[in-house]
Amino acid sequence: MIELVRTNDPVVISFIEALLRDAGIIFFVADQNMSMTEGSLGILQRRVMVEEDRLDEARTLLAEAGVADEIRDA
């Protein structure tokens, strides 16, 4: 899987999860449980990972939804 987004904003993560789920793109949110380790300070960012063969489709989807600024550069 390839990193698509890295953020510590739970609203952005939730929105991206909904977009990807609705588009049928398989994804994984890495580091979700790290907040317990860091003490819930929101310092550590979560990563949204997608399958490599759907990366371009996922980037286009996020751009069309207005969250292109959240996309990680390759």
Side-chain angles (χ1 to χ4, degrees):
M1 295 197 115
I2 304 291
E3 183 177 329
L4 175 66
V5 172
R6 182 182 298 197
T7 183
N8 56 3
D9 186 334
V11 175
V12 170
I13 293 283
S14 179
F15 181 59
I16 291 171
E17 285 179 307
L19 290 171
L20 295 174
R21 191 176 300 111
D22 288 349
I25 297 173
I26 296 172
F27 65 94
F28 172 74
V29 180
D31 307 321
Q32 279 192 115
N33 297 320
M34 290 304 293
S35 63
M36 288 187 278
T37 304
E38 70 176 45
S40 299
L41 298 174
I43 297 169
L44 298 176
Q45 296 181 324
R46 291 180 220 136
R47 297 172 292 143
V48 178
M49 315 291 286
V50 297
E51 294 177 324
E52 189 171 0
D53 62 336
R54 307 279 310 263
L55 183 60
D56 290 335
E57 182 183 354
R59 285 182 172 159
T60 300
L61 180 67
L62 268 58
E64 290 174 353
V67 289
D69 56 328
E70 298 292 339
I71 298 172
R72 284 292 275 198
D73 293 330

